[in-house]
Amino acid sequence: VAQSTPASIPIVTFVHWHTTEPPPKPDPNVVQLSKEKYQEFLWHLLLRGHDALFLWTPREEALEETLLVHQVYRQSHAYLEFLLEGEPIVFDVPPTPGPVVSAMQLGSELLVIRSDFDGTREPVTIEWEGRTIAIPSHDGPQVLKFGLE
């Protein structure tokens, strides 16, 4: 959505962590995201240009769901200039589980988050303004800011 929507149009994304109305015989291979991976997902949305997260949740899940979204919003304040003035530059999602990178440019710097879904720990690269940039692996929802010269 963010890749195809002009920046002048706000993107408000509905989010929900828990599976509502699971099937009677759920597929055991489909695993609920952990709290940490869900919060990384929220970071990816923000760094891909989503302007707001609209939390939808039943009353019995509201407290936990609200806290998870609020924690990401609170942490994002440290990068407010990026989120208000920056431009998302990475939208790729691999066709198979692997590292996923989201990044936002502001001037000559990038704000980056990387999630590993296959155990890869080696740096992965992204292309930006004719440069190849190595993005190191990290544990947890860590946001990195790269200065480029």
Side-chain angles (χ1 to χ4, degrees), residues 97-146:
V100 175
V101 174
S102 296
M104 194 167 260
Q105 172 196 355
L106 182 62
S108 63
E109 296 182 308
L110 299 179
L111 179 62
V112 179
I113 186 165
R114 172 181 165 172
S115 297
D116 296 315
F117 294 99
D118 66 352
T120 299
R121 303 304 286 181
E122 298 299 317
V124 296
T125 59
I126 62 171
E127 299 297 322
W128 179 63
E129 294 188 347
R131 296 181 177 125
T132 301
I133 301 167
I135 308 298
S137 183
H138 59 82
D139 293 323
Q142 181 182 7
V143 179
L144 304 174
K145 188 169 140 179
F146 285 87

Side-chain angles (χ1 to χ4, degrees), residues 50-114:
H50 295 245
D51 297 290
L53 305 174
F54 185 95
L55 176 62
W56 176 90
T57 187
R59 182 183 306 257
E60 63 273 10
E61 298 168 0
L63 178 60
E64 185 173 30
E65 296 253 358
T66 301
L67 287 172
L68 293 173
V69 173
H70 175 73
Q71 288 169 349
V72 171
Y73 271 139
R74 187 182 67 231
Q75 293 167 356
S76 75
H77 285 218
Y79 307 100
L80 199 54
E81 188 176 6
F82 271 96
L83 296 173
L84 294 176
E85 305 295 329
E87 178 183 344
I89 63 165
V90 179
F91 298 98
D92 298 335
V93 176
T96 58
V100 175
V101 174
S102 296
M104 194 167 260
Q105 172 196 355
L106 182 62
S108 63
E109 296 182 308
L110 299 179
L111 179 62
V112 179
I113 186 165
R114 172 181 165 172

Side-chain angles (χ1 to χ4, degrees), residues 2-30:
Q3 185 175 14
S4 302
T5 304
S8 60
I9 299 174
I11 300 172
V12 179
T13 306
F14 283 69
V15 295
H16 182 64
W17 174 42
H18 288 93
T19 302
T20 58
E21 300 184 36
K25 295 181 181 177
D27 182 345
N29 295 319
V30 177

